[in-house]
Amino acid sequence: MCRRRHVAHNYTLCGHIIQQAETIVVCYSRYCKFSPSHPSECLSPQCTRTCAQYRGWPEQYSLRIDTLCPNCLADYTHSKDLYRV
């Protein structure tokens, strides 16, 4: 069954969490109406009896990244350049 995927990047050095854009995970099952493998000739009422009519539960996970987030890294690099002698 096709489903959505939610990913968050957790930057440990600054503590910021950045949500990534939602993506769709495709199952390629012919019995899922959201799948590209679902036959175009499969129509109601037969389709509603034999095929998944909703997406599955979303995948949700967080990646732990041991660095600064892109914004903090840019601020750090910029401030370092300002004080360079």
Side-chain angles (χ1 to χ4, degrees):
M1 179 176 324
C2 295
R3 61 192 176 281
R4 291 179 168 88
R5 178 181 289 159
H6 301 255
V7 179
H9 290 172
N10 183 355
Y11 294 92
T12 59
L13 294 183
C14 60
H16 292 132
I17 298 172
I18 300 177
Q19 297 288 334
Q20 302 303 301
E22 178 182 271
T23 57
I24 301 292
V25 178
V26 179
C27 69
Y28 295 102
S29 169
R30 69 180 317 264
Y31 298 106
C32 174
K33 81 173 195 175
F34 301 103
S35 170
S37 300
H38 186 256
S40 59
E41 61 274 0
C42 185
L43 304 170
S44 291
Q46 181 66 25
C47 184
T48 56
R49 287 193 297 262
T50 59
C51 301
Q53 301 295 308
Y54 53 90
R55 288 189 172 92
W57 293 101
E59 291 181 356
Q60 297 178 342
Y61 62 93
S62 177
L63 296 175
R64 180 181 165 171
I65 303 172
D66 293 329
T67 186
L68 295 171
C69 74
N71 293 334
C72 290
L73 188 59
D75 289 345
Y76 174 75
T77 304
H78 179 70
S79 65
K80 196 168 129 181
D81 289 340
L82 289 176
Y83 297 109
R84 186 176 287 170
V85 178

